[in-house]
Amino acid sequence: MSSLAVLNASQVITLAGPKRPRIGAELSELEIIRDGGMLVRDGKIERVGPSDEIEKDLGDAEVLDARGRVVMPGFVDAHTHLVFAGNRLEDFERRSRGETYEQIAKAGGGIWSTVEKTRAASEPDLLAQAKKHANWFLRCGTTTVEAKSGYGLTVEDELKILRVMRQLNASCRASDAIRESRIASTAPVRVDAAETEAGPEIVPTFLGAHAVSRGMSPDKYVELVITEMLPRVSAEKLAEFCDVFCERGYFDVDQSRKILSAAKKVGLSVRGHVDQLTNSGGAKLMAEMGATTADHLEQTDEQGIAALKKANVQPVLLPASVYALGLSRYPRAREMIEAGLGVVLATDFNPGSSPTPSMPMVLSLACTQMKMSPAEAVTASTVNAAYSLHRGDKIGSLEPGKLANFVIFDCEDYRELAYWFGMPHTHAVYIRGDRVLDSRER
Ligand SMILES: [Zn+2]
């Protein structure tokens, strides 16, 4: 048995509460324990409470002193594009000079430059870069990352990206095998050093419909996604969700409906990039499809919000992409909270429109630009995000029985995460009770 006791934390942010996404005033209820402690056994949380009570029953637990620090569930990032090759530095510089999207695309930039680099990259090279990105998430305190394909746009290249995600997760499973062997006191399982590199858990989403592949008509490409990509993704169990970029110039409402219907038929749950640049009825489509989430929603109006509420769809808001594109129209978070939606915050990490893995940065934007409170932002990026990935029963809060995925931050009050923006607060990160990042090792 391996056990760990965290003691003396200035605040343990438990987020204990109902077993569903938090809505309305519930988003402000963090269930904070001051001078708190937590007992972890075999990768799971056994007890959470006042430090002096936890201390009474330590047994052989390794003790971790969190004096002067905040202990929180690891962030759950429910919308990222983790796997791609290269970067978009040239686009970034052009945009900073005031060039338009069209000018940048003409100069060879935009999504196509990333698609070309990702197609050209070998699977090991893509995996190496994805590991680097995954480590950035850990350093920001994120322990679970949803990741979308979508920079391949051919059958083989989309599958290659999803296989990279599977390999990223295999390293987590390798450390699980080690733990199992420890518990069973059998000989340790041998794994290569490279396989034991710890990283966040990856939740794979198939986004073949990210853009229409060059040289194909939109309808032909939709056909390819439905008849060739989706069956392979499903047969090889490479994704849990299917996503689509529903926007003028990409996939319209009818094409998006076709793709998501086909995805549901092969057993995938669905999410969607909707109403980002124009209000094209994307939120309503997500409601009609019974989607798990509707993401972006910068242009969604009150009718869209009402449709999401009626169908119980969780909105995933991505303020970092609004910020990084230099735009000013953020989604209507306050109206969504008041309407009773289980709001989620995520980074939208990608090389073009949101090059940040930092959830603390997203918390800052949520508070300053969308007028969410620091507590609402924390709920939206932990427990609500966990439910939006069908993992609310396992992660997202510090409650007995859940996985011991938690972060120790170098601040005494959780509100400091959003307040002191642009600086690292992470002290240590734990996944399933194992320390996977320590600020002294950085
Ligand atoms: Zn996105």
mmCIF file with all atom_site columns, all heavy atoms in Angstrom, residues 79-81 148 207 210 243 273 296 318 348 350, ligand 1:
data_model
loop_
_atom_site.group_PDB
_atom_site.id
_atom_site.type_symbol
_atom_site.label_atom_id
_atom_site.label_alt_id
_atom_site.label_comp_id
_atom_site.label_asym_id
_atom_site.label_entity_id
_atom_site.label_seq_id
_atom_site.pdbx_PDB_ins_code
_atom_site.Cartn_x
_atom_site.Cartn_y
_atom_site.Cartn_z
_atom_site.occupancy
_atom_site.B_iso_or_equiv
_atom_site.pdbx_formal_charge
_atom_site.auth_seq_id
_atom_site.auth_comp_id
_atom_site.auth_asym_id
_atom_site.auth_atom_id
_atom_site.pdbx_PDB_model_num
ATOM   1   N  N   . HIS A 1 79  ? -10.756 21.468 -24.168 1.00 0.00 ? 79  HIS A N   1
ATOM   2   C  CA  . HIS A 1 79  ? -10.719 21.834 -25.595 1.00 0.00 ? 79  HIS A CA  1
ATOM   3   C  C   . HIS A 1 79  ? -9.303  22.248 -25.970 1.00 0.00 ? 79  HIS A C   1
ATOM   4   O  O   . HIS A 1 79  ? -8.867  23.363 -25.662 1.00 0.00 ? 79  HIS A O   1
ATOM   5   C  CB  . HIS A 1 79  ? -11.697 22.986 -25.867 1.00 0.00 ? 79  HIS A CB  1
ATOM   6   C  CG  . HIS A 1 79  ? -11.804 23.381 -27.311 1.00 0.00 ? 79  HIS A CG  1
ATOM   7   N  ND1 . HIS A 1 79  ? -13.003 23.606 -27.950 1.00 0.00 ? 79  HIS A ND1 1
ATOM   8   C  CD2 . HIS A 1 79  ? -10.859 23.603 -28.261 1.00 0.00 ? 79  HIS A CD2 1
ATOM   9   C  CE1 . HIS A 1 79  ? -12.799 23.953 -29.213 1.00 0.00 ? 79  HIS A CE1 1
ATOM   10  N  NE2 . HIS A 1 79  ? -11.484 23.960 -29.427 1.00 0.00 ? 79  HIS A NE2 1
ATOM   11  N  N   . THR A 1 80  ? -8.561  21.336 -26.612 1.00 0.00 ? 80  THR A N   1
ATOM   12  C  CA  . THR A 1 80  ? -7.230  21.685 -27.116 1.00 0.00 ? 80  THR A CA  1
ATOM   13  C  C   . THR A 1 80  ? -6.982  20.993 -28.459 1.00 0.00 ? 80  THR A C   1
ATOM   14  O  O   . THR A 1 80  ? -7.653  20.035 -28.815 1.00 0.00 ? 80  THR A O   1
ATOM   15  C  CB  . THR A 1 80  ? -6.075  21.251 -26.173 1.00 0.00 ? 80  THR A CB  1
ATOM   16  O  OG1 . THR A 1 80  ? -5.696  19.900 -26.460 1.00 0.00 ? 80  THR A OG1 1
ATOM   17  C  CG2 . THR A 1 80  ? -6.445  21.390 -24.699 1.00 0.00 ? 80  THR A CG2 1
ATOM   18  N  N   . HIS A 1 81  ? -5.992  21.529 -29.158 1.00 0.00 ? 81  HIS A N   1
ATOM   19  C  CA  . HIS A 1 81  ? -5.505  20.903 -30.397 1.00 0.00 ? 81  HIS A CA  1
ATOM   20  C  C   . HIS A 1 81  ? -4.038  20.578 -30.127 1.00 0.00 ? 81  HIS A C   1
ATOM   21  O  O   . HIS A 1 81  ? -3.131  21.243 -30.620 1.00 0.00 ? 81  HIS A O   1
ATOM   22  C  CB  . HIS A 1 81  ? -5.663  21.869 -31.570 1.00 0.00 ? 81  HIS A CB  1
ATOM   23  C  CG  . HIS A 1 81  ? -7.069  22.366 -31.767 1.00 0.00 ? 81  HIS A CG  1
ATOM   24  N  ND1 . HIS A 1 81  ? -7.872  21.933 -32.801 1.00 0.00 ? 81  HIS A ND1 1
ATOM   25  C  CD2 . HIS A 1 81  ? -7.833  23.245 -31.052 1.00 0.00 ? 81  HIS A CD2 1
ATOM   26  C  CE1 . HIS A 1 81  ? -9.067  22.549 -32.723 1.00 0.00 ? 81  HIS A CE1 1
ATOM   27  N  NE2 . HIS A 1 81  ? -9.062  23.337 -31.669 1.00 0.00 ? 81  HIS A NE2 1
ATOM   28  N  N   . LYS A 1 148 ? -7.742  17.250 -29.903 1.00 0.00 ? 148 LYS A N   1
ATOM   29  C  CA  . LYS A 1 148 ? -8.444  17.008 -31.159 1.00 0.00 ? 148 LYS A CA  1
ATOM   30  C  C   . LYS A 1 148 ? -7.456  16.718 -32.278 1.00 0.00 ? 148 LYS A C   1
ATOM   31  O  O   . LYS A 1 148 ? -6.394  17.323 -32.332 1.00 0.00 ? 148 LYS A O   1
ATOM   32  C  CB  . LYS A 1 148 ? -9.260  18.247 -31.541 1.00 0.00 ? 148 LYS A CB  1
ATOM   33  C  CG  . LYS A 1 148 ? -10.258 18.660 -30.464 1.00 0.00 ? 148 LYS A CG  1
ATOM   34  C  CD  . LYS A 1 148 ? -10.922 19.981 -30.831 1.00 0.00 ? 148 LYS A CD  1
ATOM   35  C  CE  . LYS A 1 148 ? -11.625 20.612 -29.625 1.00 0.00 ? 148 LYS A CE  1
ATOM   36  N  NZ  . LYS A 1 148 ? -12.682 19.798 -29.039 1.00 0.00 ? 148 LYS A NZ  1
ATOM   37  N  N   . LEU A 1 207 ? -11.446 15.223 -35.078 1.00 0.00 ? 207 LEU A N   1
ATOM   38  C  CA  . LEU A 1 207 ? -11.897 16.459 -35.731 1.00 0.00 ? 207 LEU A CA  1
ATOM   39  C  C   . LEU A 1 207 ? -11.432 16.455 -37.187 1.00 0.00 ? 207 LEU A C   1
ATOM   40  O  O   . LEU A 1 207 ? -10.736 17.349 -37.649 1.00 0.00 ? 207 LEU A O   1
ATOM   41  C  CB  . LEU A 1 207 ? -11.365 17.689 -34.961 1.00 0.00 ? 207 LEU A CB  1
ATOM   42  C  CG  . LEU A 1 207 ? -11.643 19.097 -35.513 1.00 0.00 ? 207 LEU A CG  1
ATOM   43  C  CD1 . LEU A 1 207 ? -13.129 19.388 -35.640 1.00 0.00 ? 207 LEU A CD1 1
ATOM   44  C  CD2 . LEU A 1 207 ? -10.988 20.180 -34.652 1.00 0.00 ? 207 LEU A CD2 1
ATOM   45  N  N   . HIS A 1 210 ? -12.155 19.672 -39.627 1.00 0.00 ? 210 HIS A N   1
ATOM   46  C  CA  . HIS A 1 210 ? -11.561 20.914 -39.107 1.00 0.00 ? 210 HIS A CA  1
ATOM   47  C  C   . HIS A 1 210 ? -11.512 21.931 -40.240 1.00 0.00 ? 210 HIS A C   1
ATOM   48  O  O   . HIS A 1 210 ? -11.674 23.127 -40.033 1.00 0.00 ? 210 HIS A O   1
ATOM   49  C  CB  . HIS A 1 210 ? -10.145 20.588 -38.607 1.00 0.00 ? 210 HIS A CB  1
ATOM   50  C  CG  . HIS A 1 210 ? -9.531  21.662 -37.756 1.00 0.00 ? 210 HIS A CG  1
ATOM   51  N  ND1 . HIS A 1 210 ? -8.195  21.658 -37.424 1.00 0.00 ? 210 HIS A ND1 1
ATOM   52  C  CD2 . HIS A 1 210 ? -10.048 22.764 -37.154 1.00 0.00 ? 210 HIS A CD2 1
ATOM   53  C  CE1 . HIS A 1 210 ? -7.928  22.712 -36.668 1.00 0.00 ? 210 HIS A CE1 1
ATOM   54  N  NE2 . HIS A 1 210 ? -9.027  23.400 -36.484 1.00 0.00 ? 210 HIS A NE2 1
ATOM   55  N  N   . ASP A 1 243 ? -15.878 15.966 -33.329 1.00 0.00 ? 243 ASP A N   1
ATOM   56  C  CA  . ASP A 1 243 ? -16.064 17.416 -33.330 1.00 0.00 ? 243 ASP A CA  1
ATOM   57  C  C   . ASP A 1 243 ? -16.154 17.872 -34.787 1.00 0.00 ? 243 ASP A C   1
ATOM   58  O  O   . ASP A 1 243 ? -15.748 17.147 -35.703 1.00 0.00 ? 243 ASP A O   1
ATOM   59  C  CB  . ASP A 1 243 ? -14.830 18.038 -32.638 1.00 0.00 ? 243 ASP A CB  1
ATOM   60  C  CG  . ASP A 1 243 ? -15.017 19.480 -32.202 1.00 0.00 ? 243 ASP A CG  1
ATOM   61  O  OD1 . ASP A 1 243 ? -15.873 20.183 -32.773 1.00 0.00 ? 243 ASP A OD1 1
ATOM   62  O  OD2 . ASP A 1 243 ? -14.282 19.908 -31.294 1.00 0.00 ? 243 ASP A OD2 1
ATOM   63  N  N   . HIS A 1 273 ? -17.294 23.093 -32.748 1.00 0.00 ? 273 HIS A N   1
ATOM   64  C  CA  . HIS A 1 273 ? -16.845 24.491 -32.799 1.00 0.00 ? 273 HIS A CA  1
ATOM   65  C  C   . HIS A 1 273 ? -17.978 25.277 -33.460 1.00 0.00 ? 273 HIS A C   1
ATOM   66  O  O   . HIS A 1 273 ? -18.205 25.128 -34.663 1.00 0.00 ? 273 HIS A O   1
ATOM   67  C  CB  . HIS A 1 273 ? -15.617 24.627 -33.688 1.00 0.00 ? 273 HIS A CB  1
ATOM   68  C  CG  . HIS A 1 273 ? -14.340 24.090 -33.122 1.00 0.00 ? 273 HIS A CG  1
ATOM   69  N  ND1 . HIS A 1 273 ? -14.116 22.765 -32.873 1.00 0.00 ? 273 HIS A ND1 1
ATOM   70  C  CD2 . HIS A 1 273 ? -13.198 24.744 -32.763 1.00 0.00 ? 273 HIS A CD2 1
ATOM   71  C  CE1 . HIS A 1 273 ? -12.886 22.616 -32.396 1.00 0.00 ? 273 HIS A CE1 1
ATOM   72  N  NE2 . HIS A 1 273 ? -12.310 23.796 -32.319 1.00 0.00 ? 273 HIS A NE2 1
ATOM   73  N  N   . HIS A 1 296 ? -16.807 27.544 -28.150 1.00 0.00 ? 296 HIS A N   1
ATOM   74  C  CA  . HIS A 1 296 ? -16.615 28.921 -28.662 1.00 0.00 ? 296 HIS A CA  1
ATOM   75  C  C   . HIS A 1 296 ? -17.784 29.822 -28.292 1.00 0.00 ? 296 HIS A C   1
ATOM   76  O  O   . HIS A 1 296 ? -17.724 30.533 -27.316 1.00 0.00 ? 296 HIS A O   1
ATOM   77  C  CB  . HIS A 1 296 ? -16.360 28.955 -30.185 1.00 0.00 ? 296 HIS A CB  1
ATOM   78  C  CG  . HIS A 1 296 ? -14.926 28.750 -30.528 1.00 0.00 ? 296 HIS A CG  1
ATOM   79  N  ND1 . HIS A 1 296 ? -13.953 29.665 -30.219 1.00 0.00 ? 296 HIS A ND1 1
ATOM   80  C  CD2 . HIS A 1 296 ? -14.281 27.729 -31.143 1.00 0.00 ? 296 HIS A CD2 1
ATOM   81  C  CE1 . HIS A 1 296 ? -12.776 29.226 -30.630 1.00 0.00 ? 296 HIS A CE1 1
ATOM   82  N  NE2 . HIS A 1 296 ? -12.946 28.040 -31.181 1.00 0.00 ? 296 HIS A NE2 1
ATOM   83  N  N   . LEU A 1 318 ? -13.771 29.842 -24.617 1.00 0.00 ? 318 LEU A N   1
ATOM   84  C  CA  . LEU A 1 318 ? -12.348 29.838 -24.952 1.00 0.00 ? 318 LEU A CA  1
ATOM   85  C  C   . LEU A 1 318 ? -11.817 31.268 -25.073 1.00 0.00 ? 318 LEU A C   1
ATOM   86  O  O   . LEU A 1 318 ? -11.448 31.713 -26.165 1.00 0.00 ? 318 LEU A O   1
ATOM   87  C  CB  . LEU A 1 318 ? -12.157 29.068 -26.270 1.00 0.00 ? 318 LEU A CB  1
ATOM   88  C  CG  . LEU A 1 318 ? -12.871 27.698 -26.331 1.00 0.00 ? 318 LEU A CG  1
ATOM   89  C  CD1 . LEU A 1 318 ? -12.949 27.176 -27.765 1.00 0.00 ? 318 LEU A CD1 1
ATOM   90  C  CD2 . LEU A 1 318 ? -12.148 26.681 -25.452 1.00 0.00 ? 318 LEU A CD2 1
ATOM   91  N  N   . ASP A 1 348 ? -8.244  26.089 -25.638 1.00 0.00 ? 348 ASP A N   1
ATOM   92  C  CA  . ASP A 1 348 ? -8.221  26.038 -27.113 1.00 0.00 ? 348 ASP A CA  1
ATOM   93  C  C   . ASP A 1 348 ? -6.776  26.016 -27.614 1.00 0.00 ? 348 ASP A C   1
ATOM   94  O  O   . ASP A 1 348 ? -6.490  26.505 -28.711 1.00 0.00 ? 348 ASP A O   1
ATOM   95  C  CB  . ASP A 1 348 ? -8.986  27.215 -27.741 1.00 0.00 ? 348 ASP A CB  1
ATOM   96  C  CG  . ASP A 1 348 ? -9.272  27.004 -29.231 1.00 0.00 ? 348 ASP A CG  1
ATOM   97  O  OD1 . ASP A 1 348 ? -9.173  25.864 -29.693 1.00 0.00 ? 348 ASP A OD1 1
ATOM   98  O  OD2 . ASP A 1 348 ? -9.576  28.000 -29.920 1.00 0.00 ? 348 ASP A OD2 1
ATOM   99  N  N   . ASN A 1 350 ? -3.703  25.854 -29.505 1.00 0.00 ? 350 ASN A N   1
ATOM   100 C  CA  . ASN A 1 350 ? -3.426  25.531 -30.913 1.00 0.00 ? 350 ASN A CA  1
ATOM   101 C  C   . ASN A 1 350 ? -2.412  26.532 -31.435 1.00 0.00 ? 350 ASN A C   1
ATOM   102 O  O   . ASN A 1 350 ? -2.227  27.597 -30.841 1.00 0.00 ? 350 ASN A O   1
ATOM   103 C  CB  . ASN A 1 350 ? -4.731  25.520 -31.731 1.00 0.00 ? 350 ASN A CB  1
ATOM   104 C  CG  . ASN A 1 350 ? -5.231  26.913 -32.060 1.00 0.00 ? 350 ASN A CG  1
ATOM   105 O  OD1 . ASN A 1 350 ? -4.697  27.591 -32.923 1.00 0.00 ? 350 ASN A OD1 1
ATOM   106 N  ND2 . ASN A 1 350 ? -6.267  27.365 -31.356 1.00 0.00 ? 350 ASN A ND2 1
HETATM 107 ZN ZN  . ZN  B 2 .   ? -10.610 24.706 -31.187 1.00 0.00 ? 1   ZN  B ZN  1
#
